[in-house]
């Protein structure tokens, strides 16, 4: 095995993302899968490995598509799951357990058609030690560490509000983005308070959509139509299933560990990264990501973004599809991180950054619970 | 009267002593007999050394406000409270736990990080849960 010997040869989203009340969750998986396999120049019968999250699950997706896999991965650790699927597929292909793996995402996050939104059992630690205090979904949990960060590092409300402003500048260049009109810091701070200190425009969208990836070995990719995207390094880990038990509220240990492992495996440094995707369920998550991945020092990310470094023309293009804050966010957004990294590396993005050779995607699962990182490139090292 | 009740935890055998203590007005947490470290949330083994030799200790009930959010979209049963803080308290023993901050209007001005808080208790159906209030206030 050699670095970059496993590649992404197919990558596609559903025909549309947004509000799709006519699409069941299963149909979103299937539409993304058919598009990705076609993008790869392959037939469904070429697929011998399947990975997907728990609902409707890899077995239902594979059965619907007529795939008879000899490798199955149902890892479900929230929105970063698909980055972990890519990592696991690399190992499976190297081991000879599969030759061509399909990874699918579909989620009727907004319309809730055919979705299975399972509550945790009443006897789970979350239900015993957090639910009694009135948590209700990600806005009430993901938000909790932020005030501690703001106090420790002096991050201002205006700097935080600039995160969606910067990402909207990317979204303005992406016709598929749900929100494209420019916004200002004042617009953000004037928007409705959802969960203090986060306003509506600092929270991600809730949409319907899906996407899929086809992974195979580099030596099989030669005859296929798309330029291969080499998987140079990967990482995965988790920190805590309960937000209250995160070790230090000013830093994500999961982001730190998964990104460090991916960078080390890829043999890259931060200066090598041309393009970056960081899961942005809420405005503070890219701030944590930039610091925990080591792109800037502790407490510096708010100013780094506010100074324009991550927006169009900046030196570290970040969340160039517009992100979960402006492009789309089905609930498990990680698939869309990978899709945008692949588009940028192929030179096919709506808001194309010139000369991207290395793109890094940093995923989050749950509320700083799990993390996955991919270092991707359009060349071998 | 609220149309819906606030959620009540469903104890498991390893968490029952915690809720039994709360019903008696005590905050109990676990400590490892092998490595000596206290921890929260209650569980069947030590998160630091995986030992299952554990004891229950009575915590002081004192802590500080580590962080919080003020939720404007109430969870079922919390309609009368919104906007309300969902906080994490740093116990003086070291571990942290989630709680609401009771006995004070939940505004950013009132809820200052690192302020002293102390435990109080709230009935939820048949179960009692710990809550926290600013230190030095009368019980509500
Ligand atoms: Zn121990």
């Amino acid at each position: 095995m050699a670095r970059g010997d496993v590649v992404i040869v197919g990558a596609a989203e559903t025909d549309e993302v947004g509000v799709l009340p006519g699409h069941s969750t299963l149909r979103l998986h299937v539409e993304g899968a058919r598009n990705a396999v076609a993008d790869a120049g392959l037939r469904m019968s070429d697929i011998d490995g399947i990975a997907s999250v728990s609902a409707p699950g890899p077995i239902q997706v594979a059965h619907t598509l007529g795939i008879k896999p000899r490798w199955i991965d149902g890892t479900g650790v929230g929105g970063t799951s698909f980055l972990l699927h890519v990592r696991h597929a690399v190992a499976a292909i190297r081991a000879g357990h599969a030759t061509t793996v399909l990874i699918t995402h579909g989620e009727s996050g907004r319309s809730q058609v055919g979705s299975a939104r399972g509550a945790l059992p009443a006897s789970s630690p979350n239900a015993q030690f957090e639910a009694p205090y009135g948590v209700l979904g990600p806005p009430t949990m993901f938000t909790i560490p932020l005030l501690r960060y703001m106090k420790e590092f002096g991050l201002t409300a205006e700097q935080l509000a600039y995160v969606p402003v910067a990402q909207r500048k990317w979204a303005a260049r992406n016709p598929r983005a749900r929100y494209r009109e420019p916004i200002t810091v004042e617009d953000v701070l004037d928007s409705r308070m959802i969960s203090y200190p986060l306003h509506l425009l600092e929270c991600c969208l809730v949409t319907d959509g899906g996407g899929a990836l086809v992974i195979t070995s580099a030596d099989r990719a030669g005859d296929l139509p798309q330029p291969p995207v080499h998987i140079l390094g990967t990482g995965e880990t988790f920190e805590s299933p309960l937000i209250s038990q995160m070790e230090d509220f000013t830093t994500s240990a999961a982001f730190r560990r998964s990104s460090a492992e991916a960078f080390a495996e890829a043999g890259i440094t931060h200066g090598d990264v041309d393009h970056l995707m960081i899961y942005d369920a809420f405005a503070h998550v890219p701030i944590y990501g930039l610091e925990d991945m080591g792109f800037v020092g502790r407490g510096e990310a708010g100013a780094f973004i506010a100074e324009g470094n991550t927006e169009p023309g900046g030196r570290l293009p970040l969340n160039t599809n517009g992100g979960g804050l402006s492009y789309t966010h089905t609930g498990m957004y990680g698939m869309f991180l990978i899709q945008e990294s692949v588009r940028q590396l192929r030179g096919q993005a709506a808001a194309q950054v010139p000369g991207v050779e290395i793109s890094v995607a940093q995923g989050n699962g749950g509320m700083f619970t799990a993390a996955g990182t991919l270092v991707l490139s359009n060349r071998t090292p | 009267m609220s149309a819906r009740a606030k959620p009540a935890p469903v104890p498991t055998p390893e968490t029952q002593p915690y809720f039994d203590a709360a019903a008696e007005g005590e905050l109990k947490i676990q400590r490892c007999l092998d490595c000596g470290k206290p921890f929260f949330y209650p569980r069947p083994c030590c998160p630091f050394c995986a030992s299952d030799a554990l004891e229950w200790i009575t915590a002081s009930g004192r802590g500080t406000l580590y962080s919080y959010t003020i939720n404007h979209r109430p969870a079922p049963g919390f309609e009368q409270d919104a906007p309300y803080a969902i906080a994490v308290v740093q116990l003086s023993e070291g571990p942290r736990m989630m709680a609401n901050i009771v006995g004070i209007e939940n505004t950013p001005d009132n809820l200052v990080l690192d302020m002293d808080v102390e435990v109080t208790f709230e009935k939820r159906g048949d179960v009692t849960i710990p809550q926290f209030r600013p230190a030095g206030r009368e019980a509500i």
Side-chain angles (χ1 to χ4, degrees):
Chain A
M1 71 186 214
R3 201 182 288 158
D5 61 352
V6 178
V7 295
I8 300 171
V9 292
E13 300 179 1
T14 44
D15 296 344
E16 294 176 79
V17 292
V19 183
L20 305 169
H23 286 56
S24 70
T25 303
L26 182 58
R27 177 172 166 187
L28 294 165
H29 279 266
V30 166
E31 192 174 298
R34 295 181 75 252
N35 289 349
V37 170
D39 179 71
L42 294 170
R43 297 149 63 97
M44 208 55 75
S45 54
D46 295 319
I47 303 297
D48 64 353
I50 180 78
S52 193
V53 291
S54 54
I59 290 172
Q60 183 63 65
V61 170
H63 188 256
T64 304
L65 291 165
I67 295 166
K68 294 176 178 59
R70 57 194 185 95
W71 178 86
I72 302 167
D73 180 9
T75 302
V77 292
T80 197
S81 299
F82 316 101
L83 288 84
L84 274 62
H85 296 156
V86 170
R87 186 173 206 248
H88 302 171
V90 170
I93 289 165
R94 284 179 178 163
H97 295 167
T99 58
T100 309
V101 169
L102 174 67
I103 301 169
T104 72
H105 165 62
E107 193 167 10
S108 184
R110 186 182 184 95
S111 302
Q112 299 285 307
V113 183
S115 62
R117 183 148 291 189
L120 288 162
S123 58
S124 68
N126 300 72
Q128 292 187 71
F129 302 109
E130 294 196 341
Y133 301 107
V135 298
L136 183 68
T140 63
M141 289 183 273
F142 223 151
T143 329
I144 294 175
L146 177 55
L147 280 184
R148 172 55 54 181
Y149 177 97
M150 294 175 84
K151 171 162 181 173
E152 296 291 328
F153 294 117
L155 177 78
T156 66
E158 288 74 18
Q159 287 172 328
L160 183 64
Y162 196 80
V163 175
V165 172
Q167 291 193 195
R168 187 62 66 85
K169 295 182 183 184
W170 287 114
R173 301 171 177 218
N174 182 359
R176 275 169 66 90
R178 180 151 180 80
Y179 292 119
R180 303 183 62 201
E181 308 75 24
I183 51 173
T184 65
V185 165
E186 289 68 35
D187 293 334
V188 176
L189 295 178
D190 287 345
S191 67
R192 187 158 50 90
M193 188 66 80
I194 298 295
S195 204
Y196 173 82
L198 283 182
H199 305 79
L200 179 65
L201 292 177
E202 291 160 328
C203 302
C204 68
L205 313 173
V206 182
T207 61
D208 308 321
L213 299 165
V214 180
I215 316 278
T216 193
S217 58
D219 55 16
R220 281 191 199 86
D223 300 331
L224 301 178
Q226 295 288 0
V229 168
H230 300 267
I231 302 158
L232 300 187
T234 62
E236 70 182 77
T237 190
F238 84 96
E239 180 174 0
S240 168
L242 282 72
I243 188 76
S244 63
Q245 302 307 310
M246 195 174 168
E247 188 179 320
D248 177 341
F249 277 21
T250 69
T251 174
S252 162
F255 284 5
R256 293 200 311 272
R257 291 201 297 260
S258 75
S259 63
E261 181 155 354
F263 275 58
E265 186 191 10
I268 64 159
T269 62
H270 296 86
D272 297 324
V273 178
D274 305 307
H275 172 256
L276 180 60
M277 297 296 293
I278 300 176
Y279 202 102
D280 60 327
F282 297 94
H284 61 301
V285 185
I287 291 176
Y288 282 63
L290 283 169
E291 296 178 10
D292 294 333
M293 298 174 81
F295 284 98
V296 297
R298 300 261 281 137
E300 296 175 0
F304 184 77
I305 294 172
E307 287 160 5
N309 289 297
T310 63
E311 62 193 54
R315 63 188 168 96
L316 184 59
L318 171 66
N319 293 343
T320 50
N321 57 356
L325 294 173
S326 285
Y327 174 56
T328 207
H329 197 298
T330 52
M332 290 181 284
Y333 170 72
M335 174 58 75
F336 299 97
L337 300 172
I338 310 170
Q339 295 288 338
E340 177 66 7
S341 286
V342 169
R343 287 191 293 263
Q344 290 285 349
L345 288 164
R346 288 177 176 179
Q348 299 170 352
Q352 182 66 45
V353 174
V356 175
E357 293 190 347
I358 292 183
S359 174
V360 175
Q362 176 64 52
N364 163 83
M367 276 63 76
F368 288 128
T369 304
T373 312
L374 301 179
V375 178
L376 305 173
S377 181
N378 49 21
R379 56 180 172 79
T380 44
Chain B
M1 178 179 160
S2 176
R4 288 180 284 191
K6 291 178 179 176
V10 177
T12 53
E14 63 265 26
T15 67
Q16 191 66 53
Y18 171 83
F19 292 106
D20 288 347
E24 299 295 321
E26 287 194 324
L27 176 62
K28 285 199 170 175
I29 61 175
Q30 287 167 297
R31 184 166 64 190
C32 176
L33 290 167
D34 280 323
C35 74
K37 293 178 182 168
F39 58 89
F40 187 85
Y41 49 96
R43 67 194 101 175
C45 76
C46 169
F48 303 103
C49 73
S51 169
D52 66 355
L54 310 173
E55 64 172 345
W56 289 93
I57 60 170
T58 301
S60 66
R62 288 190 294 275
T64 55
L65 181 57
Y66 182 61
S67 200
Y68 66 91
T69 188
I70 299 177
N71 181 26
H72 288 246
R73 300 190 308 171
F78 284 79
E79 293 82 359
Q80 315 282 329
D81 299 354
Y84 59 94
I86 303 165
V88 173
V89 169
Q90 170 96 52
L91 301 178
S92 62
E93 289 79 10
R96 297 191 197 112
M97 60 182 290
M98 190 174 278
N100 300 122
I101 305 299
V102 302
I104 188 171
E105 191 185 354
N106 283 185
T107 64
D109 285 345
N110 282 345
L111 301 178
V112 178
L113 293 199
D114 302 316
M115 67 190 274
D116 292 326
V117 292
E118 61 190 14
V119 75
T120 180
F121 295 90
E122 181 182 326
K123 281 282 276 185
R124 288 288 173 85
D126 298 334
V127 182
T128 300
I129 62 169
Q131 291 282 26
F132 281 80
R133 65 183 179 217
R137 302 233 168 179
E138 291 302 305
I140 53 168

